[in-house]
Amino acid sequence: SSVIWLYFPVALKRMLNFNVPPVKNSTGEPVWKVLIYDRFGQDIISPLLSVKELRDMGITLHLLLHSDRDAIPDVPAVYFVMPTEENIDRMCQDLRNQLYESYYLNFISAISRSKLEDIANAAIGANAVTQVAKVFDQYLNFITLEDDMFVLCNQNKELVSYRAINRPDITDTEMETIMDTIVDSLFCFFVTLGAIPIIRCSRGTAAEMVAVKLDKKLRENLRDARNSLFTGDTLGAGQFSFQRPLLVLVDRNIDLATPLHHTWTYQALVHDVLDFHLNRVNLEESTGMESSPAGARPKKKNKKSYDLTTSDKFWQKHKGSPFPEVAESVQQELESYRAQEDEVKRLKSIMGIEGEDEGAISMLSDNTAKLTSAVSSLPELLEKKRLIDLHTNVATAVLEHIKSRKLDVYFEYEEKIMSKSTLDKSLLDMISDPDAGTPEDKMRLFLIYYISSTQAPSEIDLEQYKKALMDAGCNLAPLSYIKQWK
């Protein structure tokens, strides 16, 4: 539900306003302040608030906790970090060095009693007790990417991955740590939502371990009537009623084919074939076919970054559309933009009419109003042009991958395998085709076939497939894993 997007920026803005709700329609200048975050805090803030929005809230500087920072003694500092040992040490060091006027310490997850005491001791030692204005547990340990989607982490994400949970050599303590990390993020999410979920999970899997731990944590919190996070002044207060959300926890193992599938919608393709993280896509601009003189250094490729966010109307409308429709829509947007641009140019030339004849004067008065409205829509026109350029570049980069790897062929073939339709081409031909796809594409295709087939291929057939995959340059380790898994 878009409820996530509603509460989450509110929680962040409140934090950046010294944990006081921002006053609407206030004309006063914001209090200028510095924002200090760690990598986790940076990942949480960047998809939600732009640099301009931070500036509007009085954030003049935003710096990483572990970077070299100069003292700014007459400015308050808002910290937004995980309560880790090294972060606490660095914050204590800041107190001792008297870096800022006052300190608002916000922890992404709940801080332990012993670490709080470490901060208190450092503040006493540095004679800075009065400068530590507030200490808050924010319970914001998750990353909101869209109106109705959030992820648990981006930093160290391989530590909380499918692979980490399913490693054959995983120890009990490692498993406990992974479960605790997942539970902490889910708990933070429901605290921000201000709602207690009804939990359902698949039995005998990691999902059940998460469910049991989360259930215990929620119950312990509710037992403490004085400090319960789900009553009183929480952001979603009032939701704690019979309208409880349903939390379904599912183990990835129930469907391993889908994440391997080559998809055909815009957002999924961008995520699959380009460098796309936390709503930002990074592209290398191709330098074209110009040949550089012999012995000259090859030209450096320009790198460009684009944010694909909820404010991008084209992205919102077309991210779930099949790719050919997206290409068509970009073309339509371009044509409508050019028509508007031509109209402005035409009106401008009419405004330069010479001569005093009656017709010219009447045309001029008619067109003055038109030009005024055209000029007032210029910012909108420029924004339209920016989005067209953005999506032209992103869609072109995706199209290059589709053409060079024949991803449309893979998509259709895998769809047929997964829906048990008749195949028009043998799987061996697909794997052996040197022009279709990378070794990884071929391996993904074969794994989907292997997972989806009701009857595993015979040993003779399997050897034949293995040989073809090896000839195509594939690493067979994933196949060994899936074979064992199946």
Side-chain angles (χ1 to χ4, degrees):
S1 71
S2 49
V3 134
I4 306 173
W5 199 258
L6 183 70
Y7 292 132
F8 203 85
V10 171
L12 274 182
K13 285 177 180 173
R14 180 149 102 171
M15 179 193 85
L16 297 173
N17 200 43
F18 306 125
N19 287 294
V20 178
V23 182
K24 278 184 184 167
N25 308 327
S26 74
T27 47
E29 277 283 296
V31 178
W32 298 110
K33 50 190 118 47
V34 178
L35 171 64
I36 312 293
Y37 45 46
D38 61 358
R39 294 270 176 214
F40 290 91
Q42 187 180 28
D43 285 349
I44 291 168
I45 291 171
S46 65
L48 289 167
L49 298 172
S50 65
V51 173
K52 184 193 175 298
E53 286 173 296
L54 288 174
R55 187 143 304 137
D56 291 345
M57 298 184 67
I59 304 292
T60 49
L61 270 180
H62 39 96
L63 304 162
L64 280 165
L65 176 66
H66 292 282
S67 61
D68 295 329
R69 289 176 281 114
D70 297 325
I72 315 175
D74 52 351
V75 170
V78 175
Y79 285 74
F80 185 49
V81 297
M82 285 294 260
T84 61
E85 204 70 56
E86 55 272 27
N87 283 355
I88 303 292
D89 289 348
R90 186 61 190 259
M91 289 161 87
C92 293
Q93 194 182 316
D94 289 358
L95 288 169
R96 284 192 287 273
N97 294 342
Q98 299 280 314
L99 285 194
Y100 307 109
E101 177 195 65
S102 53
Y103 303 82
Y104 292 80
L105 310 181
N106 298 278
F107 294 101
I108 296 169
S109 279
I111 184 172
S112 67
R113 174 85 194 206
S114 64
K115 284 179 183 154
L116 258 181
E117 285 168 3
D118 292 344
I119 295 173
N121 290 332
I124 291 165
N127 200 15
V129 174
T130 52
Q131 287 165 277
V132 179
K134 286 181 181 176
V135 181
F136 270 85
D137 289 332
Q138 288 294 348
Y139 293 99
L140 293 176
N141 188 15
F142 57 96
I143 299 169
T144 306
L145 294 177
E146 292 178 23
D147 286 2
D148 47 11
M149 187 176 93
F150 69 98
V151 292
L152 298 192
C153 71
N154 181 51
Q155 295 296 320
N156 309 338
K157 59 174 178 253
E158 65 284 351
L159 301 179
V160 195
S161 61
Y162 173 85
R163 184 173 179 270
I165 294 173
N166 291 280
R167 264 185 21 236
D169 58 345
I170 190 167
T171 63
D172 286 353
T173 39
E174 285 172 328
M175 192 62 152
E176 281 292 316
T177 308
I178 292 171
M179 296 298 116
D180 288 341
T181 308
I182 294 171
V183 167
D184 182 63
S185 288
L186 289 174
F187 182 74
C188 288
F189 171 73
F190 285 108
V191 169
T192 303
L193 208 57
I196 307 278
I198 293 163
I199 306 171
R200 293 284 176 266
C201 65
S202 41
R203 293 278 165 148
T205 60
E208 188 177 18
M209 290 169 75
V210 171
V212 169
K213 273 182 175 286
L214 180 60
D215 178 67
K216 186 172 178 239
K217 194 161 183 166
L218 288 165
R219 284 174 192 278
E220 280 169 3
N221 184 271
L222 286 170
R223 260 188 220 112
D224 185 352
R226 291 164 308 161
N227 287 326
S228 176
L229 295 160
F230 295 94
T231 52
D233 183 31
T234 53
L235 291 164
Q239 294 228 4
F240 181 37
S241 64
F242 295 110
Q243 290 294 306
R244 288 169 62 189
L246 177 67
L247 172 65
V248 181
L249 294 166
V250 186
D251 198 287
R252 177 76 269 170
N253 278 318
I254 69 163
D255 172 23
L256 265 186
T258 301
L260 296 167
H261 184 23
H262 288 89
T263 47
W264 197 231
T265 56
Y266 190 27
Q267 185 182 32
L269 272 166
V270 169
H271 192 273
D272 190 2
V273 303
L274 302 180
D275 174 14
F276 183 49
H277 290 288
L278 300 182
N279 293 348
R280 171 168 291 180
V281 63
N282 298 307
L283 290 184
E284 270 194 356
E285 284 192 319
S286 54
T287 48
M289 296 306 286
E290 305 156 30
S291 56
S292 48
R297 283 185 183 170
K299 281 188 180 175
K300 261 194 171 178
K301 286 191 171 179
N302 290 335
K303 289 200 169 184
K304 285 210 161 183
S305 290
Y306 300 110
D307 290 319
L308 299 171
T309 60
T310 43
S311 60
D312 180 338
K313 290 191 176 70
F314 186 90
W315 178 247
Q316 285 303 97
K317 188 176 178 185
H318 296 289
K319 64 186 180 188
S321 306
F323 189 73
E325 276 180 31
V326 175
E328 211 174 288
S329 302
V330 171
Q331 193 55 40
Q332 284 168 1
E333 290 284 322
L334 187 59
E335 280 162 17
S336 101
Y337 165 76
R338 280 187 182 142
Q340 276 177 283
E341 195 182 38
D342 290 346
E343 177 68 1
V344 173
K345 281 180 187 164
R346 192 180 68 81
L347 290 168
K348 275 183 177 172
S349 70
I350 289 173
M351 296 302 274
I353 290 171
E354 289 170 9
E356 296 295 317
D357 65 310
E358 292 287 306
I361 300 290
S362 66
M363 263 178 87
L364 195 61
S365 55
D366 285 349
N367 285 309
T368 308
K370 283 186 189 172
L371 185 63
T372 310
S373 96
V375 169
S376 66
S377 67
L378 269 179
E380 201 180 306
L381 206 58
L382 289 170
E383 176 60 10
K384 197 171 188 179
K385 175 81 168 79
R386 186 187 72 80
L387 290 180
I388 291 167
D389 288 347
L390 184 163
H391 289 287
T392 303
N393 290 343
V394 173
T396 305
V398 170
L399 187 61
E400 280 171 14
H401 280 274
I402 292 172
K403 281 181 175 170
S404 65
R405 292 160 57 183
K406 295 191 178 174
L407 295 182
D408 49 336
V409 179
Y410 275 92
F411 164 68
E412 284 175 19
Y413 200 85
E414 288 165 2
E415 284 278 288
K416 285 176 180 167
I417 290 174
M418 290 164 84
S419 60
K420 309 274 190 288
S421 309
T422 42
L423 303 172
D424 49 359
K425 190 177 178 185
S426 90
L427 186 61
L428 264 179
D429 288 350
M430 283 285 291
I431 295 168
S432 308
D433 182 349
D435 298 327
T438 61
E440 190 185 80
D441 292 328
K442 293 171 194 279
M443 181 48 90
R444 279 167 64 175
L445 169 67
F446 184 70
L447 291 180
I448 290 170
Y449 163 73
Y450 194 88
I451 292 165
S452 305
S453 57
T454 38
Q455 206 174 342
S458 68
E459 279 304 315
I460 300 165
D461 287 351
L462 193 59
E463 281 310 311
Q464 211 177 352
Y465 286 127
K466 272 186 178 176
K467 186 182 179 310
L469 288 165
M470 280 170 78
D471 290 347
C474 297
N475 171 4
L476 293 186
L479 178 55
S480 315
Y481 176 80
I482 290 293
K483 198 177 169 191
Q484 197 179 353
W485 169 86
K486 189 149 181 170

